[in-house]
Amino acid sequence: LQESVRKIKFNREMGERYMLLQELLREERNLGIAEGRNLGIAEAVINLLSFIGEVPDDIIDRVMAEDDADKMSEYLRVAARADSVCAFRRETGL
């Protein structure tokens, strides 16, 4: 196996493909980490809201579907200071 890897690295065309594959895998990994973070933040938002009232399904669905990290941070900040689910909805437009 090590010999095969050496041959691939020395072959220019295969080396370029290998580097491209490595970059794609790195991007996929970073995307997965970002999505995981957003999922964790979404769960935190819903959890915070559940302490102040019943969270309607439409808010849950929209928060869970959000993939913009800035929006998720905004939702978390608003949820942390909201005194009701209605106030959260009003401030976020959800």
Side-chain angles (χ1 to χ4, degrees):
L1 179 64
Q2 287 180 341
E3 184 64 41
S4 295
V5 170
R6 278 191 219 128
K7 285 180 183 179
I8 289 171
K9 286 183 178 180
F10 285 109
N11 181 312
R12 183 178 183 101
E13 182 181 329
M14 291 303 289
E16 289 173 4
R17 288 181 185 179
Y18 176 80
M19 295 301 289
L20 178 60
L21 175 62
Q22 290 298 321
E23 182 62 28
L24 290 172
L25 290 173
R26 188 175 11 263
E27 287 176 11
E28 285 293 317
R29 180 178 175 272
N30 290 339
L31 180 61
I33 290 170
E35 287 175 352
R37 265 191 222 122
N38 279 349
L39 181 58
I41 294 172
E43 290 171 345
V45 168
I46 293 165
N47 215 1
L48 283 170
L49 292 175
S50 69
F51 285 116
I52 57 176
E54 187 173 334
V55 186
D57 288 341
D58 68 311
I59 288 180
I60 293 172
D61 292 344
R62 290 179 66 187
V63 168
M64 294 300 287
E66 184 60 61
D67 60 358
D68 183 292
D70 292 332
K71 277 277 194 208
M72 291 305 298
S73 293
E74 176 190 346
Y75 293 165
L76 186 59
R77 284 191 302 274
V78 173
R81 69 175 184 258
D83 59 358
S84 70
V85 175
C86 288
F88 173 82
R89 184 187 296 273
R90 215 175 20 255
E91 194 165 337
T92 60
L94 295 178

